[in-house]
Amino acid sequence: MQTISKSSLQEEQLRNIIARFIQQLYEVGGYAIRHVTLTLHGDPAFFSDSRSVNAISVRKIQGVTTLSYQDMDVEAPISSTITLVATDNQKQPA
């Protein structure tokens, strides 16, 4: 019996939703839509352990020290770039 981790299941669900969305765009727009770019802002828990996470130090956003992102591949009829973005928020002094 194969065990599927919660993060793998979440990623698969997210991947399926995005693939359906791009498929619907293709059905409506056909070849008029050549590329889809999606940026999803969320929690680092959605990052996959199997892909590298890129991190950038941030100074100009109050309370944020690091912006991390990870690209996701989705099989779809339209070329796409899907990026998951998360920030590492510092706790603000009370």
Side-chain angles (χ1 to χ4, degrees):
M1 182 170 122
Q2 182 182 8
T3 305
I4 299 174
S5 71
K6 182 180 178 184
S7 62
S8 295
L9 185 58
Q10 286 176 330
E11 180 180 348
E12 192 59 33
Q13 290 172 333
L14 189 57
R15 189 184 304 279
N16 288 337
I17 291 167
I18 293 168
R20 284 194 315 263
F21 171 71
I22 295 173
Q23 178 64 39
Q24 288 177 338
L25 287 175
Y26 176 72
E27 289 170 5
V28 171
Y31 294 108
I33 299 172
R34 294 191 179 110
H35 186 86
V36 174
T37 301
L38 297 173
T39 304
L40 307 169
H41 297 259
D43 193 271
F46 279 97
F47 289 151
S48 171
D49 294 337
S50 64
R51 295 187 313 275
S52 65
V53 175
N54 302 292
I56 301 169
S57 179
V58 178
R59 293 189 200 136
K60 293 190 176 189
I61 303 173
Q62 185 177 0
V64 176
T65 58
T66 305
L67 178 106
S68 300
Y69 64 95
Q70 184 178 66
D71 293 325
M72 174 188 282
D73 294 324
V74 173
E75 216 170 294
I78 300 173
S79 172
S80 61
T81 302
I82 294 100
T83 306
L84 306 173
V85 177
T87 56
D88 173 24
N89 297 329
Q90 281 185 333
K91 292 186 179 184
Q92 295 296 315

